[in-house]
Amino acid sequence: VIGQNLYRLHDKRFDQIGMSWLKHSFCAVDEFDEMFCGVCQPNFDCDWLAIGCADTYGTFLNGNQPGMGPRSEVNAANGAYTFPYVLQAGASGDAIFKRLQVQVDDLNPDLNPGAQYFMEAYYLTTDEQAWANQYNNASYRECFVGGLSGGGYNLSYNVGIEIEQVSTGLDAWQDIDTGVQIATISIAGDGDLHVGSRATDNQDGTWHYEYAVYNYNSDRSVQCFSVPTGCTTVTNAGFNDVDSHSGEPYSIADWTQIDLGGRYEWQSETFDVNADANAIRWNTMYSFRFDSPNPPVDGLAKIMLFKPGADPEQSVSVVHPMREPCSADIVEANGIVNVNDLLFLLAEWGESGLSAADIDGTSEQCPDDVVDVTDLLTLLAQWGSCP
């Protein structure tokens, strides 16, 4: 099955702005394409793409509505999907039904001056998991917005810009901006998440923080994203998702934003509340942002997985606002982080509730609320005299 996504980089922000249903492939044609694939060794079998061969689709096949199935019937972690698909089986509709949909305003050059756009294709198959070869399935290519015609904007490729193979749309952000950090979370028994982060000096005494969480192939999906912010209040917080469409069962409700005083977090409904909540599902990216007066440091953000299972809370390396320099001075408040503070933290290890040693912050929906290794690392990073 083949999914398509559209991304935009504009004004420091990297957002997914479009997604499609899935083309169901039916025959692997062994084409010769030595520029990208090597020497084709044809096998004359529709079920298998031969070594070194290409299989190129045109827009007619990729956008053929009766042959497009839903993402919701796919488990990207193990490659399993329903076939024949059930939802909207064989159905056609208007011009955008099942196809990659994007809001016209998200392409309007007057509203997005200087924006860059990137198209991503993602191939998922059932026979890669046994070989642990399911992590090279995405490629992207820059595309360009043309004139307005028939109520929409024409998109095109520059023949001089090649496809970035084995790279996600999120990778385009880092390829354009070397200040972007991307980290990977590999969830045991499931799939991978990629998290991008970037801090930019606003030149007015504040910093802009930008985050993108891309679900590569996790079936458990993402319900909450939480970033440490220090004790200052963040401003201009925002969120961007991409809407499911054409009858997919998933909610399109925006995530709730909460300033917890020390952490800022975004969250969808939980799985227990709504199994079709607007979680970040496979081959989908949501982005998050805010401004802060605190300069950037490297640290850990937290992610809560959506579906039940082991280790629901995951940590990932990001750039985030610097915490106040003496949050770990928790015993004597004497301006020094020392062994007394360390011993107190160790004595509180594993405690939940409002422990003074929980210096990494607390949360109800995206739980930290426990004295653990992130608190220990925070204390060690502040060791000695406070500035």
Side-chain angles (χ1 to χ4, degrees):
V1 293
I2 305 165
Q4 302 171 57
N5 293 325
L6 184 64
Y7 302 87
R8 181 188 61 205
L9 176 61
H10 175 243
D11 193 24
K12 308 174 187 176
R13 300 180 175 183
F14 190 75
D15 294 319
Q16 183 176 349
I17 59 173
M19 69 188 309
S20 74
W21 277 39
L22 305 173
K23 171 195 163 46
H24 280 255
S25 178
F26 53 87
C27 179
V29 178
D30 296 334
E31 298 174 335
F32 289 77
D33 187 347
E34 293 189 11
M35 178 178 293
F36 291 108
C37 300
V39 178
C40 180
Q41 304 171 42
N43 60 17
F44 308 105
D45 184 345
C46 266
D47 291 338
W48 304 94
L49 182 64
I51 295 172
C53 301
D55 183 18
T56 307
Y57 292 109
T59 55
F60 173 78
L61 282 180
N62 279 346
N64 180 260
Q65 292 167 331
M68 300 179 75
R71 297 182 179 221
S72 55
E73 295 177 11
V74 175
N75 182 325
N78 62 21
Y81 57 87
T82 302
F83 188 80
Y85 64 88
V86 177
L87 186 64
Q88 303 283 15
S92 297
D94 60 18
I96 61 173
F97 181 66
K98 295 186 181 179
R99 296 170 177 159
L100 192 150
Q101 297 186 10
V102 56
Q103 296 292 325
V104 173
D105 281 351
D106 283 335
L107 299 174
N108 187 329
D110 293 333
L111 300 178
N112 304 280
Q116 292 177 270
Y117 295 87
F118 306 90
M119 189 74 74
E120 176 192 72
Y122 185 107
Y123 281 56
L124 182 142
T125 185
T126 60
D127 52 7
E128 293 186 310
Q129 283 68 23
W131 305 91
N133 196 33
Q134 69 270 38
Y135 299 99
N136 61 355
N137 293 11
S139 296
Y140 79 84
R141 190 179 187 185
E142 186 173 6
C143 61
F144 301 90
V145 177
L148 185 66
S149 175
Y153 289 93
N154 292 311
L155 299 179
S156 63
Y157 295 115
N158 185 329
V159 294
I161 299 179
E162 295 183 353
I163 299 168
E164 297 295 330
Q165 295 177 301
V166 196
S167 297
T168 69
L170 177 61
D171 291 323
W173 188 22
Q174 188 178 60
D175 291 342
I176 296 296
D177 184 349
T178 57
V180 173
Q181 301 179 20
I182 296 180
T184 298
I185 301 174
S186 295
I187 304 165
D190 188 46
D192 280 5
L193 309 172
H194 298 176
V195 180
S197 60
R198 174 70 157 105
T200 305
D201 192 342
N202 290 327
Q203 302 297 321
D204 61 1
T206 66
W207 290 78
H208 179 72
Y209 291 87
E210 193 76 22
Y211 304 93
V213 178
Y214 176 89
N215 182 343
Y216 194 94
N217 59 354
S218 166
D219 182 65
R220 292 181 64 186
S221 306
V222 176
Q223 180 263 329
C224 179
F225 180 63
S226 177
V227 181
T229 58
C231 292
T232 55
T233 301
V234 304
T235 57
N236 298 323
F239 162 80
N240 181 81
D241 61 359
V242 58
D243 289 343
S244 301
H245 57 79
S246 303
E248 286 277 25
Y250 301 139
S251 167
I252 59 172
D254 285 348
W255 285 25
T256 302
Q257 302 181 181
I258 306 175
D259 190 341
L260 293 164
R263 301 189 72 85
Y264 200 91
E265 73 183 37
W266 298 260
Q267 57 194 240
S268 73
E269 295 174 294
T270 63
F271 182 85
D272 290 341
V273 171
N274 181 6
D276 288 326
N278 185 21
I280 309 177
R281 300 175 191 273
W282 71 278
N283 188 219
T284 305
M285 188 197 83
Y286 291 179
S287 47
F288 313 86
R289 54 189 58 98
F290 55 73
D291 290 340
S292 170
N294 291 8
V297 294
D298 291 332
L300 296 176
K302 293 181 182 295
I303 280 175
M304 281 295 290
L305 301 179
F306 176 64
K307 292 184 179 181
D311 302 319
E313 180 183 323
Q314 302 283 324
S315 296
V316 61
S317 177
V318 298
V319 60
H320 64 74
M322 181 178 69
R323 296 175 62 86
E324 284 58 40
C326 266
S327 62
D329 182 17
I330 48 182
V331 176
E332 299 162 316
N334 59 357
I336 300 175
V337 179
N338 58 22
V339 67
N340 292 329
D341 303 299
L342 174 61
L343 291 174
F344 178 80
L345 186 148
L346 294 176
E348 294 281 291
W349 193 268
E351 289 293 324
S352 59
L354 298 178
S355 169
D358 184 17
I359 56 178
D360 192 45
T362 62
S363 163
E364 294 179 358
Q365 292 293 329
C366 194
D368 181 41
D369 201 14
V370 64
V371 181
D372 60 10
V373 66
T374 56
D375 302 297
L376 176 60
L377 292 174
T378 299
L379 184 146
L380 294 177
Q382 297 179 15
W383 192 267
S385 298
C386 297

